[in-house]
Structure formats: structure tokens, C-alpha cells
Amino acid sequence: LKNGTVQDRIAGTICKYIDHDPLAPDFRIVAVEYNLGAEYGNARPDLVYQKIGPPRILDYKTTSTYHAKYFEADMEKYRDLFQMYQYVWAWEDKHKEKIEEYDICHLVTKDYRCTLKPFPISEEALRLWYQATVPFWNIMKKIEDGEMRPWMVADHEDKWGLCEYHPACFKFR
């Protein structure tokens, strides 16, 4: 790295984040890296915090560089993020508290930049996520219990090359 070690860059990012905390000064930390339990797939939101109103879930994402041309599209990929639906569903089910939005805090480590973007939670989208996810969890449980064998995906490569599990499917059967 030109500007020092990875540790230097990370330490610098953390210090700048602390100095320029994007969260409102009146927020209250509810939980940090809180494991919601095995019954919720060990979902572990980075931060649950509260301003006025219901709790909010925040997930940190980091990249080393910022490209203005791609930034909005990159942020949009977090709109319907599987893990965020899992966090919201797990929190609501376990704590009986409604989550109306989750936030993504995107940190750029080189030439520090911090963007906090809220994403509203649609009840319909959460319901559809749950409806589509539970059957997969049931299949995973059957595989873990030896009641079902895993299967192979139809595509074994993408634009970056062969799937990392390709040898497991074709060489070490």
C-alpha cells in the first residue's frame, strides 16, 4: 500500500469515523454484534440503535476505494439484501419490536468517506422473503440431518471463473 499498511488504513478510518460519527447525537445503542440465536440462523447485526421511534438495524460495509460513477448502483445492491431481511425478521420475532428501516453505513478506507443510507422495510417484501427462505432452511436442515443429499448447481462458473466448489462436485465425489 502506498499510504501505509492495511492496519494503518483501518485505524485511520476508525478514528475518522469516530470523529465524524454519522449517527444522530441523540441515538441510543441497543445492541452491538448481537447474536440473535441458532433459531434465527445466528443472525448477528452489526449495530441495533434507536433514535425517536422504533429500533434500527445498521450494517457496516467497507471498500478500499470510492468510484463516484458506480457508487449509487453499488449502494442500491443493499436495498433488498437477504441478510438485512434476516436481521429484521429475527429481531422482530425475538423482541416483538417493529423495525421500519435498516441502514447501510458504507466506509471507504482510502481517502476516507462515510455514507449512511436508510432503506425502508416493506412488510410485503419481508413476508415474501420469509416465504421464499423457509423452504431452503428446511432443505438445509434435512441435509444436515442426513435425510437428504446436497445437489449440484447447474452453472459451475461465472465471469470470474470456476466455482470454488467445482473440484468437490467433479473431482472428490
Side-chain angles (χ1 to χ4, degrees), residues 26-91:
D26 57 345
F27 79 96
R28 179 180 69 84
I29 293 176
V30 176
V32 177
E33 287 288 332
Y34 175 64
N35 187 337
L36 288 154
E39 64 273 30
Y40 299 106
N42 293 309
R44 185 186 300 266
D46 292 341
L47 179 68
V48 179
Y49 72 104
Q50 195 164 14
K51 294 192 232 183
I52 297 169
R56 301 171 70 95
I57 291 176
L58 183 140
D59 197 54
Y60 291 98
K61 303 294 182 190
T62 59
T63 56
S64 58
T65 56
Y66 169 80
H67 300 285
K69 179 172 144 180
Y70 305 113
F71 187 73
E72 278 307 312
D74 285 347
M75 288 301 284
E76 276 305 303
K77 72 182 177 190
Y78 301 123
R79 179 167 301 283
D80 291 307
L81 195 61
F82 180 96
Q83 109 192 73
M84 296 313 293
Y85 283 119
Q86 183 176 4
Y87 293 165
V88 169
W89 163 75
W91 187 272

Side-chain angles (χ1 to χ4, degrees), residues 88-166:
V88 169
W89 163 75
W91 187 272
E92 287 183 356
D93 191 66
K94 184 170 187 161
H95 295 283
K96 310 303 181 214
E97 290 181 291
K98 180 102 175 90
I99 303 282
E100 294 176 356
E101 288 187 321
Y102 67 85
D103 299 314
I104 296 293
C105 184
H106 182 262
L107 296 165
V108 178
T109 61
K110 184 177 180 187
D111 303 323
Y112 177 78
R113 181 181 189 96
C114 177
T115 305
L116 184 66
K117 183 166 183 160
F119 292 93
I121 295 294
S122 151
E123 281 301 312
E124 181 182 12
L126 186 60
R127 183 183 55 75
L128 291 171
W129 168 86
Y130 184 79
Q131 177 184 325
T133 300
V134 170
F136 283 103
W137 286 345
N138 292 337
I139 289 169
M140 290 167 59
K141 176 81 170 110
K142 286 181 180 181
I143 292 169
E144 287 174 3
D145 292 347
E147 298 171 20
M148 184 177 182
R149 291 182 54 121
W151 64 90
M152 240 188 277
V153 296
D155 296 320
H156 303 287
E157 64 181 298
D158 58 21
K159 65 182 179 181
W160 293 283
L162 285 177
C163 167
E164 63 185 302
Y165 300 108
H166 185 269

Side-chain angles (χ1 to χ4, degrees), residues 4-29:
T5 66
V6 171
Q7 290 87 352
D8 292 339
R9 190 182 290 176
I10 292 168
T13 300
I14 291 170
C15 289
K16 287 176 184 167
Y17 177 83
I18 291 168
D19 289 344
H20 307 285
D21 189 345
L23 300 176
D26 57 345
F27 79 96
R28 179 180 69 84
I29 293 176

